[in-house]
Each structure stands twice: as C-alpha cells, then as structure tokens.
Amino acid sequence: ALPGFPVAVVGLAQYPASVADLDGDGRVELVQVTRSLSGGGRLYVIDGKGVVRPGFPKHRDDPRQNRFGPGTHIQRRGR
C-alpha cells in the first residue's frame, strides 16, 4: 500500500476513481464519488499523499439525485 492509502470515505464508490491535475501544480489528484444506500452522496478530491483536499467532500444529500452527473462542476485552477 502507498503511504496515506487506502483513504476512508463515507458511502459506496459509485464510479471508478478518476485522476487529474485539478490545480495545475503538476501533481495529480484522485476524484472519487460515493453514494449511500438511501440516496445522496459525496464528491471527494484526494491528493497524492492520501489527504482529502480542503473544501471536500462536497455533499449531495437529496435522495432524488443520488449521483453527481454532467452538471457537477469542479473548478480547475492554474490554467
């Protein structure tokens, strides 16, 4: 295992994790979306050391919308 991983998250992974350099610093972040059994979910952004980035997780607690879809926006900084 890598130092800092695995990372504990709330809920079940809804999609495979994605990797991207969200802040333009040349290092990738891990993006993971989770959901609960009753709906709602969380959007996590995790750095390469296994630390959840400030401001995350973002919560989606409306059980009628139990996923983050195309309307979800993650602001990318730097470029």
Side-chain angles (χ1 to χ4, degrees), residues 46-60:
I46 303 162
D47 70 18
K49 296 179 181 177
V51 176
V52 177
R53 298 292 302 262
F56 290 91
K58 302 284 186 188
H59 300 270
R60 168 76 51 98

Side-chain angles (χ1 to χ4, degrees), residues 12-53:
L12 307 168
Q14 182 157 5
Y15 304 105
S18 297
V19 206
D21 180 6
L22 298 176
D23 56 9
D25 66 357
R27 295 180 295 223
V28 295
E29 286 78 37
L30 177 76
V31 179
Q32 179 65 64
V33 176
T34 66
R35 65 176 175 83
S36 70
L37 294 175
S38 61
R42 297 170 193 230
L43 173 71
Y44 289 86
V45 175
I46 303 162
D47 70 18
K49 296 179 181 177
V51 176
V52 177
R53 298 292 302 262

